[in-house]
Amino acid sequence: MKKVAIIMGSDSDLPILKKTAATLKSFEIPYETHVYSAHRTPEEAKAFAQSAKKNGFGVIICAAGMAAHLAGAFAANTTLPVIGIPCRSSNLDGLDALLSTVMMPSGIPVATVAIDGGANAALLAAEILALGDDELSRKLDEKRVKDAAAVLKKDSEIALRIEE
Ligand code: RP5
């Protein structure tokens, strides 16, 4: 199976990426983790993106806060799918990172998940890899059924819980 790259702009983003790693792990998807910054280490970020395809990666997840150009900078240097996670890390509550990540110019797409959406980034990466992997696709379907059952269990208990 191809690997997923988990790239964060700073180790201060780590709590969000822990959810990404845990979710990938639950599907037995191999991943590699790095800290590269679009602004502080632009050359290293570019080199990683340019060699990612030949190094066995299938999807790249980039998480960054503030003026979050990391996902866009990666997408500019590869045609692998890039998923951006805007991180809440400043006075603007993540709206800065959301807009910086999502508003890409035509031709260089970034699939942007919610602010701090670490788990969804991993699930989207899994869905992309599952296009060529029936076993992974089956695991994703199974998770949906399990998640729905958990909500329905809560539904059956809520009338009692509201009286507590
Ligand atoms: C971004 O700036 C990082 O992704 C992080 O979310 C934010 C703050 O970085 P640090 O100052 O904590 O290293 O580039």
Short mmCIF file of all heavy atoms in Angstrom, two decimals, residues 7-82:
data_model
loop_
_atom_site.label_atom_id
_atom_site.label_comp_id
_atom_site.label_asym_id
_atom_site.label_seq_id
_atom_site.Cartn_x
_atom_site.Cartn_y
_atom_site.Cartn_z
N ILE A 7 2.57 16.01 7.28
CA ILE A 7 3.50 17.14 7.39
C ILE A 7 2.86 18.21 8.25
O ILE A 7 1.70 18.59 8.03
CB ILE A 7 3.80 17.76 5.99
CG1 ILE A 7 4.09 16.68 4.94
CG2 ILE A 7 4.93 18.76 6.10
CD1 ILE A 7 5.34 15.89 5.12
N MET A 8 3.61 18.72 9.23
CA MET A 8 3.08 19.81 10.04
C MET A 8 4.04 21.00 9.98
O MET A 8 5.26 20.83 9.91
CB MET A 8 2.83 19.38 11.49
CG MET A 8 4.05 18.92 12.25
SD MET A 8 3.62 17.91 13.68
CE MET A 8 3.61 16.26 12.96
N GLY A 9 3.45 22.19 10.00
CA GLY A 9 4.25 23.41 9.89
C GLY A 9 5.10 23.67 11.12
O GLY A 9 6.13 24.36 11.04
N SER A 10 4.67 23.13 12.25
CA SER A 10 5.40 23.32 13.51
C SER A 10 5.02 22.16 14.44
O SER A 10 3.91 21.61 14.31
CB SER A 10 4.98 24.65 14.15
OG SER A 10 5.41 24.71 15.50
N ASP A 11 5.90 21.84 15.35
CA ASP A 11 5.53 20.78 16.30
C ASP A 11 4.41 21.24 17.24
O ASP A 11 3.81 20.43 17.93
CB ASP A 11 6.74 20.23 17.07
CG ASP A 11 7.39 21.27 17.96
OD1 ASP A 11 7.08 22.47 17.81
OD2 ASP A 11 8.22 20.89 18.81
N SER A 12 4.11 22.54 17.23
CA SER A 12 2.96 23.00 18.04
C SER A 12 1.63 22.52 17.43
O SER A 12 0.59 22.57 18.08
CB SER A 12 2.96 24.54 18.19
OG SER A 12 2.83 25.16 16.93
N ASP A 13 1.68 22.02 16.19
CA ASP A 13 0.47 21.46 15.55
C ASP A 13 0.27 20.00 15.92
O ASP A 13 -0.74 19.39 15.53
CB ASP A 13 0.58 21.55 14.01
CG ASP A 13 0.76 22.98 13.51
OD1 ASP A 13 0.11 23.88 14.07
OD2 ASP A 13 1.55 23.19 12.58
N LEU A 14 1.21 19.42 16.64
CA LEU A 14 1.22 17.97 16.88
C LEU A 14 -0.08 17.39 17.46
O LEU A 14 -0.51 16.32 17.00
CB LEU A 14 2.42 17.60 17.78
CG LEU A 14 2.66 16.10 18.01
CD1 LEU A 14 2.89 15.37 16.70
CD2 LEU A 14 3.85 15.90 18.94
N PRO A 15 -0.73 18.04 18.45
CA PRO A 15 -1.95 17.44 19.00
C PRO A 15 -3.01 17.12 17.93
O PRO A 15 -3.70 16.10 18.02
CB PRO A 15 -2.46 18.50 19.98
CG PRO A 15 -1.24 19.28 20.36
CD PRO A 15 -0.35 19.28 19.14
N ILE A 16 -3.10 17.96 16.92
CA ILE A 16 -4.08 17.73 15.85
C ILE A 16 -3.66 16.53 15.00
O ILE A 16 -4.47 15.69 14.60
CB ILE A 16 -4.23 18.99 15.00
CG1 ILE A 16 -4.86 20.10 15.85
CG2 ILE A 16 -5.07 18.75 13.75
CD1 ILE A 16 -4.45 21.48 15.44
N LEU A 17 -2.37 16.42 14.75
CA LEU A 17 -1.87 15.34 13.89
C LEU A 17 -1.84 13.99 14.60
O LEU A 17 -1.77 12.95 13.94
CB LEU A 17 -0.47 15.68 13.37
CG LEU A 17 -0.40 16.68 12.19
CD1 LEU A 17 -1.42 16.30 11.12
CD2 LEU A 17 -0.63 18.09 12.60
N LYS A 18 -1.90 14.01 15.91
CA LYS A 18 -1.98 12.73 16.63
C LYS A 18 -3.28 12.01 16.25
O LYS A 18 -3.31 10.78 16.13
CB LYS A 18 -1.92 12.96 18.15
CG LYS A 18 -0.48 13.13 18.65
CD LYS A 18 -0.46 13.24 20.16
CE LYS A 18 0.94 13.43 20.70
NZ LYS A 18 1.72 12.21 20.79
N LYS A 19 -4.35 12.78 16.06
CA LYS A 19 -5.63 12.17 15.64
C LYS A 19 -5.49 11.60 14.22
O LYS A 19 -6.04 10.55 13.91
CB LYS A 19 -6.74 13.23 15.63
CG LYS A 19 -7.13 13.70 17.01
CD LYS A 19 -8.21 14.76 16.90
CE LYS A 19 -8.16 15.67 18.10
NZ LYS A 19 -8.72 17.00 17.86
N THR A 20 -4.75 12.29 13.38
CA THR A 20 -4.52 11.81 12.01
C THR A 20 -3.78 10.48 12.04
O THR A 20 -4.18 9.51 11.39
CB THR A 20 -3.68 12.85 11.22
OG1 THR A 20 -4.28 14.13 11.38
CG2 THR A 20 -3.59 12.49 9.76
N ALA A 21 -2.71 10.45 12.82
CA ALA A 21 -1.89 9.24 12.89
C ALA A 21 -2.69 8.07 13.47
O ALA A 21 -2.64 6.95 12.96
CB ALA A 21 -0.65 9.51 13.74
N ALA A 22 -3.46 8.35 14.54
CA ALA A 22 -4.23 7.27 15.17
C ALA A 22 -5.26 6.70 14.20
O ALA A 22 -5.49 5.48 14.15
CB ALA A 22 -4.92 7.80 16.43
N THR A 23 -5.88 7.57 13.42
CA THR A 23 -6.89 7.11 12.46
C THR A 23 -6.25 6.29 11.35
O THR A 23 -6.75 5.22 10.97
CB THR A 23 -7.67 8.31 11.88
OG1 THR A 23 -8.20 9.07 12.97
CG2 THR A 23 -8.80 7.88 10.96
N LEU A 24 -5.11 6.75 10.83
CA LEU A 24 -4.42 5.97 9.79
C LEU A 24 -4.01 4.61 10.34
O LEU A 24 -4.16 3.58 9.68
CB LEU A 24 -3.18 6.73 9.29
CG LEU A 24 -3.46 8.00 8.49
CD1 LEU A 24 -2.15 8.74 8.20
CD2 LEU A 24 -4.17 7.69 7.17
N LYS A 25 -3.52 4.62 11.57
CA LYS A 25 -3.08 3.38 12.21
C LYS A 25 -4.24 2.39 12.33
O LYS A 25 -4.07 1.19 12.14
CB LYS A 25 -2.54 3.71 13.61
CG LYS A 25 -1.38 2.86 14.03
CD LYS A 25 -0.77 3.42 15.29
CE LYS A 25 0.43 2.58 15.69
NZ LYS A 25 1.13 3.14 16.82
N SER A 26 -5.43 2.92 12.66
CA SER A 26 -6.59 2.03 12.84
C SER A 26 -6.95 1.30 11.54
O SER A 26 -7.60 0.27 11.56
CB SER A 26 -7.79 2.81 13.39
OG SER A 26 -8.33 3.63 12.37
N PHE A 27 -6.52 1.85 10.40
CA PHE A 27 -6.74 1.20 9.10
C PHE A 27 -5.47 0.51 8.58
O PHE A 27 -5.44 0.08 7.42
CB PHE A 27 -7.22 2.22 8.06
CG PHE A 27 -8.62 2.71 8.29
CD1 PHE A 27 -8.84 3.96 8.86
CD2 PHE A 27 -9.71 1.91 7.97
CE1 PHE A 27 -10.14 4.41 9.08
CE2 PHE A 27 -11.00 2.37 8.18
CZ PHE A 27 -11.21 3.61 8.75
N GLU A 28 -4.45 0.47 9.44
CA GLU A 28 -3.16 -0.14 9.06
C GLU A 28 -2.57 0.49 7.80
O GLU A 28 -2.00 -0.19 6.94
CB GLU A 28 -3.31 -1.65 8.89
CG GLU A 28 -3.72 -2.33 10.20
CD GLU A 28 -3.97 -3.83 10.03
OE1 GLU A 28 -5.09 -4.19 9.62
OE2 GLU A 28 -3.04 -4.60 10.30
N ILE A 29 -2.72 1.82 7.71
CA ILE A 29 -2.14 2.56 6.59
C ILE A 29 -0.77 3.09 7.02
O ILE A 29 -0.67 3.79 8.04
CB ILE A 29 -3.05 3.74 6.18
CG1 ILE A 29 -4.39 3.20 5.67
CG2 ILE A 29 -2.39 4.63 5.14
CD1 ILE A 29 -5.44 4.27 5.43
N PRO A 30 0.28 2.78 6.27
CA PRO A 30 1.61 3.26 6.64
C PRO A 30 1.73 4.78 6.46
O PRO A 30 1.17 5.34 5.51
CB PRO A 30 2.55 2.52 5.69
CG PRO A 30 1.70 2.11 4.53
CD PRO A 30 0.30 1.96 5.03
N TYR A 31 2.44 5.42 7.39
CA TYR A 31 2.61 6.88 7.26
C TYR A 31 3.99 7.29 7.75
O TYR A 31 4.65 6.56 8.48
CB TYR A 31 1.52 7.64 8.03
CG TYR A 31 1.49 7.36 9.52
CD1 TYR A 31 2.29 8.09 10.41
CD2 TYR A 31 0.68 6.35 10.03
CE1 TYR A 31 2.26 7.83 11.77
CE2 TYR A 31 0.66 6.08 11.38
CZ TYR A 31 1.44 6.82 12.25
OH TYR A 31 1.42 6.55 13.60
N GLU A 32 4.39 8.47 7.33
CA GLU A 32 5.66 9.06 7.75
C GLU A 32 5.35 10.48 8.21
O GLU A 32 4.50 11.14 7.61
CB GLU A 32 6.57 9.13 6.52
CG GLU A 32 8.01 8.73 6.80
CD GLU A 32 8.82 8.83 5.53
OE1 GLU A 32 8.85 7.84 4.77
OE2 GLU A 32 9.43 9.90 5.29
N THR A 33 6.01 10.94 9.26
CA THR A 33 5.68 12.25 9.85
C THR A 33 6.88 13.19 9.77
O THR A 33 8.00 12.78 10.04
CB THR A 33 5.29 12.07 11.33
OG1 THR A 33 4.38 10.99 11.44
CG2 THR A 33 4.64 13.32 11.88
N HIS A 34 6.62 14.45 9.41
CA HIS A 34 7.71 15.44 9.33
C HIS A 34 7.23 16.83 9.75
O HIS A 34 6.03 17.12 9.67
CB HIS A 34 8.22 15.56 7.88
CG HIS A 34 8.86 14.30 7.38
ND1 HIS A 34 10.17 13.97 7.66
CD2 HIS A 34 8.36 13.29 6.63
CE1 HIS A 34 10.45 12.80 7.10
NE2 HIS A 34 9.37 12.37 6.48
N VAL A 35 8.18 17.65 10.18
CA VAL A 35 7.91 19.08 10.38
C VAL A 35 8.63 19.82 9.26
O VAL A 35 9.87 19.77 9.17
CB VAL A 35 8.46 19.58 11.75
CG1 VAL A 35 8.23 21.09 11.90
CG2 VAL A 35 7.82 18.83 12.90
N TYR A 36 7.87 20.44 8.37
CA TYR A 36 8.43 21.31 7.33
C TYR A 36 7.54 22.54 7.27
O TYR A 36 6.32 22.43 7.39
CB TYR A 36 8.40 20.64 5.94
CG TYR A 36 9.31 19.46 5.78
CD1 TYR A 36 8.83 18.27 5.25
CD2 TYR A 36 10.66 19.54 6.11
CE1 TYR A 36 9.66 17.18 5.07
CE2 TYR A 36 11.50 18.45 5.94
CZ TYR A 36 10.99 17.26 5.42
OH TYR A 36 11.81 16.19 5.24
N SER A 37 8.17 23.68 7.09
CA SER A 37 7.39 24.91 7.05
C SER A 37 7.53 25.56 5.68
O SER A 37 8.63 25.61 5.11
CB SER A 37 7.91 25.86 8.14
OG SER A 37 7.47 27.17 7.89
N ALA A 38 6.41 26.05 5.16
CA ALA A 38 6.44 26.75 3.86
C ALA A 38 7.30 28.00 3.94
O ALA A 38 7.88 28.43 2.94
CB ALA A 38 5.02 27.13 3.44
N HIS A 39 7.41 28.56 5.16
CA HIS A 39 8.12 29.83 5.31
C HIS A 39 9.50 29.66 5.94
O HIS A 39 10.46 30.33 5.57
CB HIS A 39 7.28 30.79 6.17
CG HIS A 39 5.88 30.93 5.68
ND1 HIS A 39 4.78 30.53 6.40
CD2 HIS A 39 5.40 31.40 4.50
CE1 HIS A 39 3.68 30.76 5.69
NE2 HIS A 39 4.03 31.28 4.54
N ARG A 40 9.60 28.73 6.91
CA ARG A 40 10.86 28.60 7.65
C ARG A 40 11.82 27.61 6.99
O ARG A 40 13.03 27.74 7.12
CB ARG A 40 10.58 28.15 9.08
CG ARG A 40 9.84 29.20 9.91
CD ARG A 40 9.27 28.58 11.17
NE ARG A 40 8.67 29.58 12.05
CZ ARG A 40 7.76 29.29 12.98
NH1 ARG A 40 7.36 28.04 13.16
NH2 ARG A 40 7.27 30.25 13.73
N THR A 41 11.29 26.59 6.30
CA THR A 41 12.16 25.62 5.60
C THR A 41 11.58 25.33 4.21
O THR A 41 11.23 24.20 3.88
CB THR A 41 12.28 24.29 6.39
OG1 THR A 41 10.97 23.69 6.53
CG2 THR A 41 12.88 24.49 7.77
N PRO A 42 11.48 26.38 3.38
CA PRO A 42 10.83 26.20 2.07
C PRO A 42 11.54 25.21 1.16
O PRO A 42 10.89 24.48 0.41
CB PRO A 42 10.81 27.61 1.47
CG PRO A 42 11.87 28.36 2.21
CD PRO A 42 11.92 27.76 3.58
N GLU A 43 12.87 25.16 1.23
CA GLU A 43 13.63 24.27 0.33
C GLU A 43 13.37 22.81 0.68
O GLU A 43 13.20 21.96 -0.20
CB GLU A 43 15.13 24.59 0.40
CG GLU A 43 15.51 25.94 -0.18
CD GLU A 43 14.93 26.17 -1.58
OE1 GLU A 43 14.88 25.22 -2.39
OE2 GLU A 43 14.48 27.30 -1.87
N GLU A 44 13.35 22.50 1.99
CA GLU A 44 13.12 21.12 2.42
C GLU A 44 11.69 20.68 2.06
O GLU A 44 11.45 19.54 1.65
CB GLU A 44 13.35 20.97 3.93
CG GLU A 44 14.80 21.04 4.35
CD GLU A 44 15.38 22.45 4.40
OE1 GLU A 44 14.65 23.43 4.12
OE2 GLU A 44 16.57 22.58 4.71
N ALA A 45 10.74 21.60 2.25
CA ALA A 45 9.35 21.28 1.91
C ALA A 45 9.23 20.97 0.42
O ALA A 45 8.60 19.99 0.02
CB ALA A 45 8.44 22.46 2.29
N LYS A 46 9.87 21.79 -0.39
CA LYS A 46 9.82 21.60 -1.84
C LYS A 46 10.46 20.27 -2.25
O LYS A 46 9.89 19.51 -3.04
CB LYS A 46 10.56 22.76 -2.52
CG LYS A 46 10.53 22.73 -4.02
CD LYS A 46 11.27 23.93 -4.58
CE LYS A 46 11.32 23.86 -6.10
NZ LYS A 46 12.07 24.98 -6.67
N ALA A 47 11.63 19.98 -1.67
CA ALA A 47 12.34 18.74 -2.02
C ALA A 47 11.49 17.52 -1.65
O ALA A 47 11.40 16.55 -2.41
CB ALA A 47 13.69 18.69 -1.30
N PHE A 48 10.86 17.57 -0.48
CA PHE A 48 10.02 16.42 -0.06
C PHE A 48 8.86 16.25 -1.04
O PHE A 48 8.58 15.13 -1.49
CB PHE A 48 9.49 16.63 1.36
CG PHE A 48 8.76 15.41 1.88
CD1 PHE A 48 9.40 14.46 2.66
CD2 PHE A 48 7.41 15.21 1.56
CE1 PHE A 48 8.73 13.32 3.10
CE2 PHE A 48 6.74 14.08 1.99
CZ PHE A 48 7.40 13.13 2.77
N ALA A 49 8.18 17.33 -1.36
CA ALA A 49 7.02 17.25 -2.25
C ALA A 49 7.43 16.71 -3.62
O ALA A 49 6.75 15.86 -4.20
CB ALA A 49 6.37 18.62 -2.40
N GLN A 50 8.56 17.20 -4.12
CA GLN A 50 8.98 16.79 -5.48
C GLN A 50 9.37 15.32 -5.56
O GLN A 50 9.25 14.70 -6.60
CB GLN A 50 10.14 17.68 -5.95
CG GLN A 50 9.66 19.08 -6.32
CD GLN A 50 10.78 20.00 -6.79
OE1 GLN A 50 11.95 19.79 -6.43
NE2 GLN A 50 10.42 21.01 -7.55
N SER A 51 9.84 14.75 -4.45
CA SER A 51 10.27 13.35 -4.50
C SER A 51 9.24 12.39 -3.87
O SER A 51 9.46 11.18 -3.84
CB SER A 51 11.62 13.20 -3.79
OG SER A 51 11.50 13.67 -2.47
N ALA A 52 8.11 12.92 -3.41
CA ALA A 52 7.15 12.09 -2.66
C ALA A 52 6.60 10.95 -3.52
O ALA A 52 6.45 9.82 -3.04
CB ALA A 52 6.00 12.96 -2.14
N LYS A 53 6.30 11.22 -4.77
CA LYS A 53 5.71 10.17 -5.62
C LYS A 53 6.68 9.01 -5.79
O LYS A 53 6.33 7.86 -5.57
CB LYS A 53 5.34 10.78 -6.99
CG LYS A 53 4.21 10.03 -7.68
CD LYS A 53 3.87 10.63 -9.03
CE LYS A 53 2.95 11.81 -8.94
NZ LYS A 53 2.51 12.32 -10.25
N LYS A 54 7.93 9.32 -6.11
CA LYS A 54 8.89 8.23 -6.31
C LYS A 54 9.29 7.56 -4.99
O LYS A 54 9.79 6.46 -4.97
CB LYS A 54 10.10 8.71 -7.11
CG LYS A 54 11.14 9.50 -6.36
CD LYS A 54 12.42 9.56 -7.21
CE LYS A 54 13.52 10.47 -6.75
NZ LYS A 54 13.47 11.27 -5.59
N ASN A 55 9.01 8.23 -3.88
CA ASN A 55 9.33 7.64 -2.58
C ASN A 55 8.17 6.82 -1.99
O ASN A 55 8.19 6.45 -0.82
CB ASN A 55 9.75 8.73 -1.58
CG ASN A 55 11.17 9.22 -1.88
OD1 ASN A 55 11.96 8.50 -2.48
ND2 ASN A 55 11.48 10.44 -1.48
N GLY A 56 7.14 6.57 -2.79
CA GLY A 56 6.10 5.63 -2.37
C GLY A 56 4.91 6.24 -1.63
O GLY A 56 4.12 5.52 -1.02
N PHE A 57 4.78 7.56 -1.71
CA PHE A 57 3.61 8.18 -1.06
C PHE A 57 2.44 8.24 -2.04
O PHE A 57 2.62 8.38 -3.26
CB PHE A 57 3.95 9.60 -0.58
CG PHE A 57 4.93 9.61 0.56
CD1 PHE A 57 6.30 9.75 0.33
CD2 PHE A 57 4.50 9.42 1.86
CE1 PHE A 57 7.21 9.72 1.36
CE2 PHE A 57 5.41 9.40 2.91
CZ PHE A 57 6.76 9.54 2.66
N GLY A 58 1.21 8.14 -1.48
CA GLY A 58 0.01 8.22 -2.31
C GLY A 58 -0.81 9.46 -2.02
O GLY A 58 -1.55 9.95 -2.88
N VAL A 59 -0.67 9.97 -0.80
CA VAL A 59 -1.42 11.16 -0.38
C VAL A 59 -0.51 11.95 0.58
O VAL A 59 0.24 11.36 1.36
CB VAL A 59 -2.71 10.80 0.39
CG1 VAL A 59 -3.50 12.05 0.76
CG2 VAL A 59 -3.60 9.86 -0.43
N ILE A 60 -0.62 13.27 0.53
CA ILE A 60 0.13 14.12 1.46
C ILE A 60 -0.86 14.94 2.28
O ILE A 60 -1.74 15.60 1.73
CB ILE A 60 1.08 15.08 0.70
CG1 ILE A 60 2.10 14.26 -0.11
CG2 ILE A 60 1.80 16.01 1.67
CD1 ILE A 60 3.02 15.10 -0.96
N ILE A 61 -0.71 14.88 3.59
CA ILE A 61 -1.55 15.68 4.50
C ILE A 61 -0.66 16.78 5.08
O ILE A 61 0.41 16.50 5.61
CB ILE A 61 -2.12 14.81 5.64
CG1 ILE A 61 -3.08 13.76 5.07
CG2 ILE A 61 -2.81 15.66 6.69
CD1 ILE A 61 -3.57 12.74 6.10
N CYS A 62 -1.10 18.02 4.92
CA CYS A 62 -0.32 19.16 5.43
C CYS A 62 -1.16 19.94 6.44
O CYS A 62 -2.26 20.39 6.12
CB CYS A 62 0.04 20.11 4.30
SG CYS A 62 1.21 19.44 3.13
N ALA A 63 -0.63 20.13 7.63
CA ALA A 63 -1.34 20.89 8.66
C ALA A 63 -0.53 22.13 9.01
O ALA A 63 0.68 22.05 9.23
CB ALA A 63 -1.51 20.03 9.91
N ALA A 64 -1.21 23.28 9.04
CA ALA A 64 -0.50 24.51 9.42
C ALA A 64 -1.51 25.52 9.94
O ALA A 64 -2.70 25.47 9.60
CB ALA A 64 0.26 25.08 8.23
N GLY A 65 -1.00 26.43 10.75
CA GLY A 65 -1.84 27.50 11.29
C GLY A 65 -1.39 28.85 10.78
O GLY A 65 -0.43 28.97 10.03
N MET A 66 -2.12 29.87 11.18
CA MET A 66 -1.84 31.27 10.82
C MET A 66 -1.89 31.47 9.29
O MET A 66 -2.83 31.04 8.65
CB MET A 66 -0.53 31.73 11.45
CG MET A 66 -0.53 31.57 12.97
SD MET A 66 0.99 31.98 13.79
CE MET A 66 0.92 33.77 13.68
N ALA A 67 -0.84 32.09 8.71
CA ALA A 67 -0.81 32.26 7.23
C ALA A 67 -0.39 30.91 6.66
O ALA A 67 0.77 30.70 6.29
CB ALA A 67 0.18 33.36 6.86
N ALA A 68 -1.34 30.00 6.56
CA ALA A 68 -1.04 28.58 6.33
C ALA A 68 -0.85 28.28 4.84
O ALA A 68 -1.79 27.88 4.15
CB ALA A 68 -2.16 27.72 6.92
N HIS A 69 0.38 28.42 4.37
CA HIS A 69 0.66 28.18 2.96
C HIS A 69 1.27 26.80 2.70
O HIS A 69 1.64 26.50 1.57
CB HIS A 69 1.62 29.27 2.44
CG HIS A 69 1.04 30.63 2.55
ND1 HIS A 69 1.69 31.71 3.11
CD2 HIS A 69 -0.19 31.09 2.20
CE1 HIS A 69 0.90 32.78 3.09
NE2 HIS A 69 -0.24 32.43 2.54
N LEU A 70 1.37 25.99 3.76
CA LEU A 70 2.08 24.71 3.63
C LEU A 70 1.43 23.78 2.60
O LEU A 70 2.12 23.25 1.72
CB LEU A 70 2.15 24.02 5.00
CG LEU A 70 3.02 22.77 5.06
CD1 LEU A 70 4.47 23.08 4.73
CD2 LEU A 70 2.93 22.13 6.45
N ALA A 71 0.12 23.56 2.71
CA ALA A 71 -0.54 22.64 1.79
C ALA A 71 -0.42 23.15 0.35
O ALA A 71 -0.14 22.38 -0.58
CB ALA A 71 -2.01 22.46 2.18
N GLY A 72 -0.59 24.44 0.17
CA GLY A 72 -0.48 25.02 -1.18
C GLY A 72 0.93 24.89 -1.74
O GLY A 72 1.12 24.60 -2.92
N ALA A 73 1.91 25.08 -0.88
CA ALA A 73 3.31 24.96 -1.33
C ALA A 73 3.61 23.52 -1.73
O ALA A 73 4.30 23.28 -2.72
CB ALA A 73 4.25 25.42 -0.23
N PHE A 74 3.06 22.56 -0.99
CA PHE A 74 3.24 21.16 -1.37
C PHE A 74 2.52 20.87 -2.68
O PHE A 74 3.07 20.24 -3.58
CB PHE A 74 2.75 20.22 -0.25
CG PHE A 74 3.85 19.81 0.68
CD1 PHE A 74 4.39 20.71 1.59
CD2 PHE A 74 4.39 18.53 0.64
CE1 PHE A 74 5.43 20.35 2.44
CE2 PHE A 74 5.42 18.15 1.48
CZ PHE A 74 5.94 19.06 2.38
N ALA A 75 1.29 21.31 -2.78
CA ALA A 75 0.51 21.04 -3.99
C ALA A 75 1.17 21.63 -5.24
O ALA A 75 1.05 21.09 -6.33
CB ALA A 75 -0.91 21.58 -3.83
N ALA A 76 1.88 22.73 -5.05
CA ALA A 76 2.57 23.37 -6.19
C ALA A 76 3.70 22.50 -6.72
O ALA A 76 4.13 22.67 -7.86
CB ALA A 76 3.13 24.73 -5.75
N ASN A 77 4.16 21.56 -5.88
CA ASN A 77 5.34 20.78 -6.25
C ASN A 77 5.09 19.29 -6.43
O ASN A 77 6.04 18.50 -6.44
CB ASN A 77 6.43 21.00 -5.20
CG ASN A 77 7.07 22.36 -5.36
OD1 ASN A 77 7.73 22.61 -6.37
ND2 ASN A 77 6.84 23.25 -4.42
N THR A 78 3.82 18.88 -6.51
CA THR A 78 3.49 17.48 -6.77
C THR A 78 2.09 17.40 -7.35
O THR A 78 1.27 18.31 -7.13
CB THR A 78 3.55 16.65 -5.46
OG1 THR A 78 3.26 15.27 -5.76
CG2 THR A 78 2.56 17.13 -4.41
N THR A 79 1.82 16.31 -8.08
CA THR A 79 0.44 16.07 -8.51
C THR A 79 -0.20 14.97 -7.68
O THR A 79 -1.29 14.48 -8.01
CB THR A 79 0.36 15.71 -10.01
OG1 THR A 79 1.27 14.64 -10.30
CG2 THR A 79 0.69 16.90 -10.88
N LEU A 80 0.44 14.55 -6.58
CA LEU A 80 -0.23 13.69 -5.61
C LEU A 80 -1.35 14.50 -4.97
O LEU A 80 -1.24 15.73 -4.83
CB LEU A 80 0.74 13.24 -4.51
CG LEU A 80 1.79 12.19 -4.90
CD1 LEU A 80 2.75 11.99 -3.72
CD2 LEU A 80 1.13 10.89 -5.28
N PRO A 81 -2.44 13.84 -4.52
CA PRO A 81 -3.46 14.59 -3.80
C PRO A 81 -2.93 15.15 -2.48
O PRO A 81 -2.26 14.43 -1.73
CB PRO A 81 -4.58 13.56 -3.55
CG PRO A 81 -4.04 12.23 -3.94
CD PRO A 81 -2.78 12.41 -4.72
N VAL A 82 -3.20 16.43 -2.25
CA VAL A 82 -2.77 17.10 -1.01
C VAL A 82 -4.01 17.48 -0.21
O VAL A 82 -4.93 18.11 -0.74
CB VAL A 82 -1.92 18.35 -1.31
CG1 VAL A 82 -1.60 19.11 -0.02
CG2 VAL A 82 -0.63 17.96 -2.04
#
